[in-house]
């Protein structure tokens, strides 16, 4: 992944032009992708940035975590992927100011399979084309990816300008990043030359020797591409989705809320929301 980022400046996350489209990805399951998508988006929304989450995982965890039941909606990311609804129609407001979501449920897996069999020409650019139709309305667009390097993730990488990869501080963390790096380079060469790995985010950190070693390893390999902020293991982050809220609303002074606010500051790097 160092290759991918080779041309980046010292502040790789500076948004030169809005919207910044970010795929939150790591094919390893349970590393904090959805927790990061929801809470980093909420922290940027709190700073005044108009932020859209695209739930692109059939598990639909970002949607349910923000109290949106995609099963009751006519327009979800399944219909957007199939091309029968516009992305604009699929966007729902959340209870949090400036924070919106285009939700998903398990029908997204069938929609992906259908597109793969029927669209032989450009199945991987469908999300990008949908995002282009709403791009001007948003400062940040986050795509929550499933835990695999499948068609949905490739669509997300094709649409994104940047990848944020949450890395859980445990053994084998670096091995998974090598597979991710390979796919990123393939997409970059074939579908999306502007794609870069914006940042790695260390998640679920506990003060153990192992976690310290993993952090040191990731920083030694990826340097400036690793967010300075580390997300601590904090049970409040695991509890917030059951109340349908981000950590910023659920427990604003918790260590998890403070950490995601700090990541949002690093990411926006002094930029201000577009005036509308
Ligand atoms: P999947 O690959 O299934 O989509 P994921 O990578 O999106 O998973 P999450 O769902 O964000 O991972 O997190 C996995 C579990 O760990 C969830 O139960 C979540 O609430 C919990 N969790 C995530 N981050 C933290 C944290 N920093 N502290 C405590 N619990 C956390
Ligand atoms: Mg998830």
């Amino acid at each position: 992944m160092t290759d991918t980022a080779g041309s980046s400046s010292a502040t790789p996350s500076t948004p030169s032009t809005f919207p910044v489209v970010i795929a939150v990805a790591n094919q390893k399951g349970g590393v904090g992708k959805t927790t990061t998508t929801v809470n980093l988006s909420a922290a940027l929304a709190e700073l005044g940035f108009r932020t859209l989450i695209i739930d692109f995982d059939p598990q639909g965890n970002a949607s349910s975590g923000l109290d949106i039941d995609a099963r009751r909606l006519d327009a979800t990311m399944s219909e957007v992927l199939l091309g029968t609804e516009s992305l604009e129609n699929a966007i729902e407001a959340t209870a949090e100011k400036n924070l919106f979501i285009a939700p998903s449920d398990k029908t997204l897996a069938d929609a992906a399979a259908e597109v793969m069999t029927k669209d032989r020409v450009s199945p991987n650019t469908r999300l990008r084309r949908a995002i282009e139709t709403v791009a001007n309305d948003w400062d940040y667009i986050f795509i929550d990816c499933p835990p695999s390097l499948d068609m949905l993730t490739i669509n997300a990488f094709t649409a994104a300008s940047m990848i944020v990869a949450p890395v859980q501080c445990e053994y084998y963390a670096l091995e998974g990043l090598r597979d991710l790096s390979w796919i990123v380079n393939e997409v970059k060469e074939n579908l999306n030359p502007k794609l870069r790995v914006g940042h790695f985010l260390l998640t679920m950190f506990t003060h153990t020797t192992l976690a310290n070693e993993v952090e040191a390893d990731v920083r030694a390999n990826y340097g400036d591409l690793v967010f300075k902020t580390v997300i601590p293991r904090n049970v409040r982050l695991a509890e917030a989705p059951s109340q349908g809220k981000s950590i910023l609303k659920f427990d604003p002074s918790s260590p998890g809320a403070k950490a995601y606010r700090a990541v949002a500051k690093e990411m926006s790097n002094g930029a201000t929301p577009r005036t509308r």
Side-chain angles (χ1 to χ4, degrees):
M1 219 162 306
T2 335
D3 290 344
T4 312
S7 59
S8 302
S9 69
T11 52
S13 64
T14 308
S16 46
T17 50
F18 286 125
V20 184
V21 183
I22 298 154
V24 181
N26 186 334
Q27 74 279 13
K28 203 165 177 329
V31 297
K33 292 180 288 295
T34 303
T35 305
T36 296
T37 300
V38 168
N39 295 305
L40 180 52
S41 297
L44 287 161
E46 189 183 67
L47 289 173
F49 294 102
R50 263 177 72 83
T51 306
L52 172 64
I53 294 172
I54 294 181
D55 188 349
F56 218 43
D57 180 352
Q59 296 181 95
N61 294 335
S63 307
S64 56
L66 286 168
D67 203 21
I68 304 284
D69 185 356
R71 290 168 306 178
R72 292 194 303 177
L73 299 169
D74 294 331
T76 69
M77 286 312 297
S78 302
E79 288 71 37
V80 175
L81 186 63
L82 289 168
T84 56
E85 284 283 359
S86 66
L87 177 52
E88 191 176 3
N89 282 348
I91 295 172
E92 299 284 319
T94 72
E96 301 182 28
K97 195 178 170 205
N98 294 323
L99 184 63
F100 295 76
I101 184 164
S104 279
D105 61 13
K106 59 182 168 38
T107 62
L108 185 63
D110 296 335
E114 189 176 331
V115 166
M116 288 302 282
T117 50
K118 289 192 179 154
D119 183 351
R120 310 246 164 197
V121 180
S122 49
N124 293 320
T125 58
R126 287 185 164 231
L127 182 61
R128 174 160 79 196
R129 284 179 277 145
I131 288 177
E132 277 165 4
T133 64
V134 301
N136 280 337
D137 299 340
W138 304 99
D139 296 325
Y140 288 94
I141 299 175
F142 281 83
I143 309 166
D144 188 27
C145 294
S148 57
L149 296 172
D150 62 2
M151 175 269 195
L152 293 168
T153 300
I154 305 240
N155 258 272
F157 287 3
T158 305
S161 45
M162 175 198 296
I163 294 171
V164 166
V167 179
Q168 193 177 346
C169 298
E170 59 166 36
Y171 267 137
Y172 306 123
L174 276 170
E175 283 184 21
L177 297 184
R178 283 190 261 279
D179 295 338
L180 182 65
S181 164
W182 185 81
I183 293 280
V184 170
N185 284 325
E186 287 289 301
V187 172
K188 199 174 153 79
E189 274 173 30
N190 297 301
L191 290 158
N192 182 6
K194 67 176 198 283
L195 184 65
R196 64 198 167 89
V197 175
H199 271 308
F200 297 92
L201 177 63
L202 294 159
T203 62
M204 299 186 223
F205 187 84
T206 46
H207 288 282
T208 59
T209 310
L210 174 60
N212 283 320
E213 279 171 14
V214 171
E215 176 177 6
D217 256 10
V218 173
R219 292 199 189 280
N221 276 272
Y222 298 110
D224 276 354
L225 292 177
V226 188
F227 279 113
K228 293 187 186 69
T229 308
V230 171
I231 307 296
R233 187 172 279 284
N234 175 205
V235 70
R236 303 299 272 165
L237 283 166
E239 291 167 353
S242 66
Q243 300 301 308
K245 291 177 181 168
S246 77
I247 191 68
L248 303 186
K249 294 286 179 244
F250 178 66
D251 191 347
S253 58
S254 61
K258 288 180 183 156
Y260 277 107
R261 278 201 195 95
V263 180
K265 288 233 168 71
E266 278 190 60
M267 173 157 263
S268 56
N269 196 31
T272 47
R274 284 194 286 188
T275 43
R276 293 186 167 80

